[in-house]
Amino acid sequence: MRLRFSIFLVGLAVVWAGAVIAAPTQPAIGAVVVPPPEIREIDLDGLKKLLLRDPKDTRPLLVNFWATWCDGCREEFPDLVKIDNDYRAKGLNFLSITLDEVADKPRAVDFLKEMKATMPVVLLNVNDPEPAIHAVDEKWDGALPATFLYDHEGKLVFKYFGKIKPADLRAAIDKEVGSKQ
Amino acid sequence: MKKQYAVYLILASFVIIALAAVAGSGRNTSDLPAPPAIGTTIDDFKLPDTDGAEHSLKSLTGKNGAVLIFISVQCPVSNGYNERMEKLAEDYKARGVNVIGINSNVTEPAAAVKAHASEKHFTFTVLKDDGNKIADRLGATRTPEAYVINAGGKLVYHGRIDNSQNTANITSNDLREALDQLLAGKPISKTGGAAFGCTIKRVS
């Protein structure tokens, strides 16, 4: 009896864990629906400006490069949304940059809506990606996803190529949002 | 007693979530050793094709060299280059340079790679790199990503195929230019070109 009940509980846990890991579901009736961020197009100069930042803005800056066609990007996105929600009030500036084609912008908007993402999102529209990739990091070859964290002085303090490990990224952010600005 | 079951429930949930997270994480490409420098001799290696037959790099290299391209079944960027890769293979085979596809994605088994190659009418050999050993050795991180090896086994080009996923916007045919320079006996003027692509899904 006890064994059967234990099996039942483990089964229940599997179902619950599946629900937690699965993509977000539709909002419940009466829930506040957050509008998706608008996706503004930028070129190489626009990217450089965003990375240089307004000198008055001393918030640590987290930049994530992604695309709807990239499996790893889609898989890590819920964690990034949580990070944005948890750290924005603590002073983190999160910029999301999609590499989707301009024609695929509606798909990117739908994805952001599904993710309930509210961080600023821009679409990098460049004919030759190489100057843009090297403007971000000389050692980056363009593999997606890629995530970069800059401190309050604009110095690169953390980077990750591939699907992020949320605990590692959070630890890096904790150091920056806790530091004197 | 109910409290004990609740503890079991919570513990079991944590274990399942942790296992799911680990299974999906893969390896960070930032941790990989740097790719071999241009001019490095690439040691011969053996990999099976999609039917399981082993091939060595040497046996697949043409009289003037080989192009290794890391490819994917599912990556839309890699798939956007299927026709270009096949055309490249046809154009340069006659000139003594053989194209070799390598699939290192842990998420794409040999059967899927075989079906994909057949569906896309690839005439070049596609090798399955289980355990991503060759991707690690060459420091390959994305699909598509190309390496050119000359007849002497030296790496002479590493980088992108061209500068745009959209064929209408190509202004720099990096890989073809490198091959033409190789075949003309000239030094290769540009290597290391970056382009957006899908991360190779490695074993953890």
Side-chain angles (χ1 to χ4, degrees), chain A residues 1-9, chain B residues 1 4-5 8:
Chain A
M1 189 66 178
R2 203 172 175 183
L3 180 69
R4 255 191 233 164
F5 191 61
S6 297
I7 292 167
F8 167 74
L9 284 176
Chain B
M1 192 59 85
Q4 200 179 357
Y5 284 134
Y8 285 154

Side-chain angles (χ1 to χ4, degrees), chain A residues 98-161:
Chain A
T98 176
L99 285 316
D100 278 298
E101 295 282 323
V102 175
D104 292 331
K105 207 200 270 192
R107 190 186 301 168
V109 170
D110 286 347
F111 176 74
L112 293 167
K113 221 185 272 184
E114 187 193 336
M115 290 288 119
K116 297 177 184 157
T118 56
M119 75 285 275
V121 182
V122 293
L123 184 149
L124 180 63
N125 183 13
V126 287
N127 189 32
D128 188 339
E130 188 168 57
I133 291 167
H134 288 165
V136 179
D137 186 345
E138 281 291 333
K139 289 191 175 165
W140 183 29
D141 65 1
L144 293 183
T147 304
F148 302 87
L149 178 66
Y150 301 86
D151 70 6
H152 63 280
E153 290 175 330
K155 190 178 141 203
L156 180 66
V157 291
F158 177 91
K159 64 180 170 183
Y160 203 90
F161 304 140

Side-chain angles (χ1 to χ4, degrees), chain B residues 1-199:
Chain B
M1 192 59 85
K2 274 181 186 170
K3 206 172 175 181
Q4 200 179 357
Y5 284 134
V7 172
Y8 285 154
L9 178 66
I10 291 165
L11 284 175
S13 305
F14 278 133
V15 168
I16 289 158
I17 290 168
L19 284 174
V22 168
S25 62
R27 219 172 96 203
N28 175 21
T29 54
S30 317
D31 299 337
L32 291 175
I38 297 299
T40 304
T41 298
I42 303 300
D43 291 337
D44 196 23
F45 59 79
K46 280 185 182 173
L47 282 180
D49 63 21
T50 53
D51 288 318
E54 290 252 318
H55 300 269
S56 67
L57 171 63
K58 268 188 186 167
S59 71
L60 292 177
T61 299
K63 69 172 181 183
N64 291 321
V67 183
L68 305 179
I69 310 179
F70 286 85
I71 62 173
S72 165
V73 169
Q74 293 174 315
C75 170
V77 182
S78 182
N79 278 322
Y81 279 87
N82 287 337
E83 285 179 19
R84 272 174 272 183
M85 290 189 289
E86 175 54 29
K87 184 78 172 69
L88 186 91
E90 289 168 14
D91 290 350
Y92 286 90
K93 190 174 184 178
R95 300 173 71 185
V97 178
N98 291 343
V99 169
I100 305 162
I102 302 181
N103 185 306
S104 302
N105 282 325
V106 68
T107 49
E108 297 174 352
V113 178
K114 183 180 178 178
H116 178 259
S118 165
E119 185 192 320
K120 304 302 173 191
H121 308 293
F122 290 159
T123 57
F124 55 89
T125 304
V126 180
L127 303 173
K128 182 62 196 160
D129 179 25
D130 281 325
N132 45 262
K133 291 185 186 76
I134 302 306
D136 286 359
R137 195 194 288 183
L138 296 177
T141 62
R142 68 179 192 275
T143 57
E145 183 172 355
Y147 295 75
V148 177
I149 296 163
N150 70 12
K154 283 190 177 168
L155 180 69
V156 293
Y157 176 87
H158 168 213
R160 62 190 184 180
I161 293 174
D162 56 42
N163 72 328
S164 181
Q165 293 171 36
N166 184 343
T167 49
N169 296 331
I170 298 170
T171 54
S172 181
N173 254 310
D174 306 55
L175 178 56
R176 278 180 177 264
E177 283 164 22
L179 288 171
D180 291 344
Q181 287 169 341
L182 170 72
L183 291 168
K186 293 178 183 169
I188 288 164
S189 54
K190 193 194 169 198
T191 181
F196 294 117
C198 306
T199 304

